[in-house]
Amino acid sequence: MEEQVQKQSWWPKLVKVVSDHPLVFIILFFFIIPFIMPYKALATQIIIWGLFALGYNVCLGYTGMLSFGHAAYFGVGSYTTGIVLIRLWPNIWFGIFCGMLMGAITAFVLGYLCIKRRGIYFAMLTMAFAQLIYFLAFQWVDLTGGDNGLRNIPATPVTLFGYDLHIYEPLRFYFFVLFFVILSLLALNRILESPFGQVLQAVRENEPRAKSCGYETTNVRWLAFVISGSISGLAGGLHAIYLHFVGIDSLYWTTSGQVVMMTLLGGMGSFIGPFIGAGIFLYLEDMLSALTSNWMIFLGVIFVLCVLFFPAGVWGTIKNLSTRKKD
Amino acid sequence: MEALLKTINLTKNFGGLSAVSNVSFSIRKGDLQTIIGPNGAGKSTFFKLITGEIKPSSGQVLFLDQDITSLPQTKVSHLGIAVAYQITNIFPMLTVLENVRVAAQSRKTTFNLWSKALNHKALAEESLAILELIGLADFQGDTAANLSHGDRKRLEIGIALATKPKLLLLDEPTAGLSPHETRQTIELIKKIAEGLTIVLVEHKMKVVMEVSNTITVLHYGKLLAQGTPDDIRNNEEVRRVYLGGVKC
Ligand SMILES: Nc1ncnc2c1ncn2[C@@H]1O[C@H](COP(=O)(O)OP(=O)(O)O)[C@@H](O)[C@H]1O
Ligand SMILES: [Mg+2]
């Protein structure tokens, strides 16, 4: 018995340290991921989708809005970055910035139309508008390439003091993406710890009461939605550069579904959850799709089991286990 | 002196039901008035009409000589009216301190994205003072959902106080409390009444008689009687419909 207690006592402490300093550990972890994944590109994919889920989580986890239409902001970000790089100015920073901006603008406009609804009505509206954008992109072949996707996004070089950084080498590209991920994390952390972050929590916990305290909760939710859209747009832009291509499916509802799944898998309450969710999802997808062409079914089953038995998500469950009283 | 709050023929119909009908009520600055009436009399609805949470079918609400009848709830809150709800309406997964602090913050800033909330010293001090007042300072770090019923009821009052109201509406603050907790809450009400105008909805006649010198009786949405505790006690109609022979 005593031995057991001894054996167990280290990991709850570790979990506590990690959840007390999520940023430090998540950034540390980022430096390990590319070396434990089967190949570097998978690691890159994980942090891009993790970033997307992080942005999504501003909506779901921090403000309590269930959106089923986040493909719109991710996809619009992807297309914008791609189109800007192809047609306007092959400058990668500018391209990424435009993707992020268009993600925010799209969320601003669609947010205005959806935000007054709550719960399932909100979810359905966001999904409907996202599908609308999907069909627009599908039809507007001149701009988007339609069904064929947007091809040949140039690999514009990134230079520092005139020295080419060769960012398209897999490991370097990972760190290039990581740069944006860490910036987003720091910015988001700052926002969530700000007075506005407190209001977000209050709105999530009890919107009628927040309103009765005098907060314009509709505007609060709207701004949260725009922040979420901008991070999703950034993730989309990075994804376009990562693939040198934007597929029409980036705007499809399956993309919205995927980010919901990742966020729920990992756990909504933290920064770490979305990245864990993205990691598990993409790793499983990679593994299962090599084994069987029906990998979607297996992934679906795993997802359903997770939601049924670990409703707090992987990280939430780990945290709960570690704080459970040992008798 | 002029009334701080005044309602004129305030009426609210829910379908065929008149939850509040033709209620004209006024309270002067610094007063504490009580509203009594059986369940379903329309007391909570009356409060919601004042705060703008629901809009009246007809009638007016005047606050500080301004017609606030059609103002949105958030505006009314900023003018200085707060409610402590009958059904506790707190932020369950936030800590006790956060509950009060976020309410206090509503008077200062909403869209401040770039400073640290915890660095706002004045806000923290203000919130702690309120926790001291409502007797929850020792629980400041606890998750609000884990508080006992009595403590939650007092946190409810703390949240309302944190918005620095001029007029505080207390909706059955002692409902479901033990005698000891009721005592605490009466003392709290007496203390905050010193600097505040309060309308109290209360069932326990002992509490009513102790804190208030003007009582309004609502019955089926109508104003039945108004007066001092003695007036009310001796009012035949009130005895018949409400007190029902209860000794008080
Ligand atoms: N939103 C509503 N819709 C329909 N009827 C309501 C609503 N709110 C209250 N009522 C009805 O109005 C009457 C007064 O309710 P309420 O104000 O809660 O009474 P009290 O607080 O005095 O117990 C009750 O009959 C109640 O059923
Ligand atoms: Mg009531």
Side-chain angles (χ1 to χ4, degrees), chain A residues 80-137:
Chain A
T80 304
T81 300
I83 292 167
V84 164
L85 288 179
I86 293 171
R87 302 194 175 194
L88 214 58
W89 184 21
N91 176 306
I92 203 165
W93 308 102
F94 182 69
I96 290 172
F97 171 76
C98 288
M100 186 168 174
L101 187 67
M102 272 309 281
I105 291 174
T106 312
F108 183 83
V109 175
L110 297 191
Y112 177 78
L113 300 168
C114 302
I115 215 82
K116 293 198 178 108
R117 308 271 160 229
R118 304 283 188 280
I120 195 73
Y121 300 102
F122 175 79
M124 287 297 145
L125 263 186
T126 50
M127 182 160 158
F129 281 118
Q131 284 299 89
L132 189 77
I133 291 192
Y134 166 79
F135 284 113
L136 275 178

Side-chain angles (χ1 to χ4, degrees), chain A residues 40-60:
Chain A
K40 307 281 181 282
L42 183 60
T44 308
Q45 225 183 330
I46 286 173
I47 57 172
I48 291 176
W49 276 92
L51 180 64
F52 182 20
L54 182 77
Y56 180 73
N57 201 30
V58 173
C59 254
L60 182 61

Side-chain angles (χ1 to χ4, degrees), chain B residues 14 17 19-20 37-46 86 171-172 203:
Chain B
F14 291 116
L17 174 88
V20 172
N39 268 325
K43 305 178 298 292
S44 298
T45 305
F46 181 61
Q86 176 179 2
D171 199 349
E172 305 199 19
H203 271 308

Side-chain angles (χ1 to χ4, degrees), chain A residues 190 205-206 209 213-215, chain B residues 78 89 93 102 107 114 156:
Chain A
R190 179 112 200 187
E205 287 298 309
N206 187 344
R209 187 54 190 247
C213 286
Y215 289 114
Chain B
H78 281 276
N89 202 355
M93 296 316 284
V102 83
R107 302 300 111 166
W114 213 246
E156 179 68 39

Side-chain angles (χ1 to χ4, degrees), chain A residues 60-64 199-207 269, chain B residues 93-94:
Chain A
L60 182 61
Y62 288 94
T63 324
V199 183
L200 281 189
Q201 289 188 32
V203 168
R204 178 195 62 207
E205 287 298 309
N206 187 344
E207 185 176 352
Chain B
M93 296 316 284
L94 303 190

